[in-house]
Amino acid sequence: MPDRRHPTYLAFLAHRLSGLALALFLPLHFWALGQALQGEAALEGFLRWTDHGLFKLAEWGLVVLLALHLAGGLRVMALEFLGWRARQKDMAALGAGFALAVGLLFLLNVG
Amino acid sequence: MRGQLHLWVAQRLTAAFLAVAVAVHLVTIIIAVRGGLSAADILARTRGSEAWLLFYAGFALAAGLHAAIGLRAIAAEWLGWRGRGLDLLWLGLGLATALFGIRAAWGLYHA
Amino acid sequence: MDRLTVRIWRGDAAGGAFAAYEVAARENQTVLDVVSEIQREQEPALAYRFACRVGMCGSCAMEVNGRARWTCRTHVRRVARPGEALTLRPLPHLPVIRDLATDMAPFFDKWARAMGSFQPKDAPDGAVPEDFAVVPPGSKARREADAGIECIGCGVCHASCDVVAWNPDYLGPAALNRAWTLVNDVRDGAQAARLAAVSGDAGCHSCHSTQSCTERCPKGLDPSSAIAGLKRRLFWDALLGRRG
Ligand code: HEM
Ligand code: HEM
Ligand code: SF4
Ligand code: SF4
Ligand code: FES
């Protein structure tokens, strides 16, 4: 196994895996929201069905992944379009911090 | 390769739009989950609102395309799935996902 | 005197295995010193490559304890703690000729495919131009070109890039870095063809900005930023319809 341990490589892996998870989630999300086509009751029924702790955990995970992917995407584009090369490692760390902060806010508000 | 260049351009353009949309979405989610999420709460925002319809339709279109182009890269690099035929398949998948999301956005507007 | 254990991969394109050697552990020795000592005193048939021994020729790169490095400028004590073994393999992502010597031809073929050679504007037949071109050292293009020009072609970045392994057609960081220096050479006349050559999945658009190349380049170059420059140029060209 070649040695790839450095912050921006981990940032790439996190970005790719979060993007993969989000892409798989997207059709499910659209299907769930599409319940509204059958009226408010159908959507409400679905939302109550997802009130279980396991769903809340998955939701929290997705929110964190979304924040992580957003921050990671901004890092990549700052390099690509603005040529920000100097502080890439700090940006990778900031991105992780941002995702955690969003996750924490979500946890504080859920309830 | 013009086609491959254009896919890349499309992914960055959608990413730039998604950066704004996801930020809005995260704020909405964190506000929405305060005290539990109900269909009535969601629909109170979206029902009859052209602004939300437009926002979610654009969001769905950008996310569908962006995700499919991303999955294409992952499939090529990690599974070795390459070729023009597959490219068209990914494009179709992205558009289908987007339409599915626009359908849901319509449901939230119209319900 | 303390001993240093050195595990060296021995074999050829058909396969191989590690062999272990022992040499004296000295205060000041480079990885290349150690390999040379083993070849001279214990294993005359050991194949490896070097020339300048001072970090200029780019011929001595290998994988040292999991990481691609130039071996003539890598001190053993910087990569192995006292008592820790050295593990040497041929440079990854290139065909092995024998033992620690890889075939660099595919690596330099990629430079050619990226149009990594200067195409003079005013003397298409390669003749010496009438006059000297004036390229102000402070100009933006000149500074971009200068930043990448000291590449010694060692292949360390190419060996450290996962995309090279995942996509055999990918031109890789060194060739793309070279192309970016030429894109910024105002004397060069082959810009449209070069930009077309470095575009797409085999070119800069497969780079995921992992920055492994920049992290590992022994010359402290930044191929990742050079590739970002290519992407930026092609993005605006495509958006503004600047090229065919
Ligand atoms: C893959 C990225 C996305 C993630 C991770 C995500 C995540 C979430 C989460 C966790 C919620 C809270 C709802 C609940 O608790 O069940 C939510 C709500 C919602 N999402 Fe998404 N979402 C994503 C993309 C999208 C897209 C592309 C659209 C566009 C159609 C969209 C439309 C909505 C709507 C309309 C709501 C209800 C918001 C409200 O309360 O008003 N989402 N999303
Ligand atoms: C709806 C939410 C999103 C989904 C489902 C999604 C999905 C994906 C996927 C699957 C990839 C491929 C990853 C790879 O090739 O390694 C990707 C890449 C990318 N995403 Fe997203 N993404 C979303 C939102 C965003 C946002 C908000 C941004 C920007 C701020 C963004 C920026 C990027 C960039 C720049 C890449 C290319 C990365 C690379 O070439 O390595 N994405 N996305
Ligand atoms: S930044 Fe690009 S070229 Fe450099 S190692 Fe990463 S993927 Fe390869
Ligand atoms: S860019 Fe650096 S690592 Fe890559 S070949 Fe040139 S000198 Fe070696
Ligand atoms: S021997 Fe020339 S760079 Fe190492």
Side-chain angles (χ1 to χ4, degrees):
Chain A
M1 182 58 200
D3 181 357
R4 295 279 184 270
R5 279 165 301 176
H6 60 95
T8 46
Y9 188 79
L10 296 180
F12 156 73
L13 268 188
H15 191 247
R16 168 158 286 192
L17 295 175
S18 61
L20 187 58
L22 293 173
L24 298 179
F25 164 76
L26 210 55
L28 283 176
H29 192 42
F30 289 160
W31 172 79
L33 294 168
Q35 299 298 311
L37 282 166
Q38 270 92 58
E40 180 172 332
L43 183 61
E44 180 66 19
F46 176 80
L47 287 175
R48 293 291 69 81
W49 183 66
T50 60
D51 268 345
H52 297 289
L54 212 60
F55 283 102
K56 283 278 168 267
L57 191 72
E59 245 165 45
W60 175 79
L62 282 161
V63 166
V64 170
L65 289 179
L66 189 59
L68 196 68
H69 190 82
L70 166 65
L74 289 176
R75 174 191 81 82
V76 168
M77 293 206 292
L79 175 73
E80 288 176 347
F81 289 102
L82 307 175
W84 288 6
R85 56 180 93 176
R87 310 205 63 95
Q88 283 284 320
K89 289 176 185 177
D90 299 340
M91 283 164 64
L94 267 178
F98 171 70
L100 272 179
V102 170
L104 220 64
L105 257 179
F106 180 83
L107 276 185
L108 287 176
N109 273 342
V110 89
Chain B
M1 282 287 151
R2 308 293 292 162
Q4 294 163 357
L5 163 65
H6 288 135
L7 284 179
W8 191 89
V9 168
Q11 209 196 23
R12 298 310 130 129
L13 290 177
T14 53
F17 175 79
L18 285 170
V20 179
V22 166
V24 171
H25 198 44
L26 285 172
V27 171
T28 315
I29 291 172
I30 290 192
I31 293 173
V33 294
R34 188 173 294 175
L37 191 74
S38 75
D41 291 339
I42 296 177
L43 292 173
R45 269 186 287 276
T46 59
R47 191 180 270 152
S49 162
E50 278 81 22
W52 279 119
L53 174 63
L54 209 69
F55 172 74
Y56 281 126
F59 193 5
L61 182 64
L65 289 175
H66 177 92
I69 299 172
L71 291 178
R72 170 185 173 274
I74 297 178
E77 289 171 3
W78 285 2
L79 305 174
W81 296 1
R82 295 192 172 89
R84 271 202 77 70
L86 278 166
D87 285 356
L88 291 176
L89 212 68
W90 286 118
L91 210 61
L93 198 76
L95 284 173
T97 311
L99 281 177
F100 197 42
I102 292 170
R103 168 182 168 274
W106 173 253
L108 292 169
Y109 169 77
H110 195 255
Chain C
M1 192 181 240
D2 286 341
R3 308 294 289 172
L4 173 69
T5 304
V6 188
R7 298 172 65 239
I8 298 182
W9 190 89
R10 303 219 49 212
D12 54 25
F18 282 100
Y21 304 88
E22 266 199 11
V23 295
R26 293 175 224 279
E27 180 57 26
N28 253 323
Q29 59 188 357
T30 65
V31 174
L32 184 62
D33 291 337
V34 168
V35 175
S36 294
E37 183 177 335
I38 292 169
Q39 190 268 333
R40 279 180 200 156
E41 291 170 15
Q42 304 180 33
E43 192 71 77
L46 179 64
Y48 67 113
R49 197 189 280 121
F50 74 96
C52 72
R53 294 185 290 118
V54 290
M56 288 176 68
C57 70
S59 63
C60 64
M62 304 168 195
E63 188 180 277
V64 182
N65 290 6
R67 197 181 282 197
R69 298 179 180 275
W70 56 0
T71 52
C72 69
R73 299 287 298 269
T74 299
H75 282 266
V76 172
R77 66 181 138 75
R78 287 211 34 231
V79 292
R81 285 181 296 274
E84 195 182 339
L86 268 189
T87 301
L88 306 179
R89 297 173 52 89
L91 198 63
H93 303 166
L94 288 168
V96 177
I97 298 174
R98 192 157 62 81
D99 302 342
L100 298 171
T102 48
D103 180 2
M104 298 295 281
F107 175 73
F108 288 110
D109 286 348
K110 288 178 176 180
W111 287 43
R113 267 168 50 213
M115 295 191 62
S117 60
F118 178 56
Q119 308 288 325
K121 220 181 232 167
D122 40 4
D125 51 0
V128 178
E130 290 281 297
D131 211 347
F132 288 113
V134 179
V135 187
S139 67
K140 190 167 184 298
R142 173 68 180 267
R143 279 186 283 123
E144 287 284 357
D146 283 350
I149 207 70
E150 298 289 342
C151 171
I152 57 174
C154 64
V156 164
C157 54
H158 186 265
S160 307
C161 174
D162 280 342
V163 180
V164 168
W166 295 337
N167 179 2
D169 289 337
Y170 180 50
L171 294 171
L176 293 171
N177 176 73
R178 174 69 185 154
W180 178 239
T181 63
L182 289 165
V183 165
N184 282 289
D185 193 328
V186 295
R187 305 165 304 161
D188 188 284
Q191 297 303 351
R194 183 173 297 107
L195 283 169
V198 298
S199 177
D201 288 348
C204 64
H205 295 115
S206 277
C207 164
H208 297 290
S209 303
T210 65
Q211 294 179 304
S212 296
C213 50
T214 297
E215 187 73 19
R216 302 287 192 248
C217 171
K219 294 287 290 178
L221 305 188
D222 189 357
S224 166
S225 289
I227 296 168
L230 292 173
K231 289 174 178 169
R232 187 156 60 237
R233 170 69 64 85
L234 284 160
F235 177 84
W236 290 113
D237 282 359
L239 218 60
L240 306 176
R242 275 203 293 238
R243 288 183 312 113

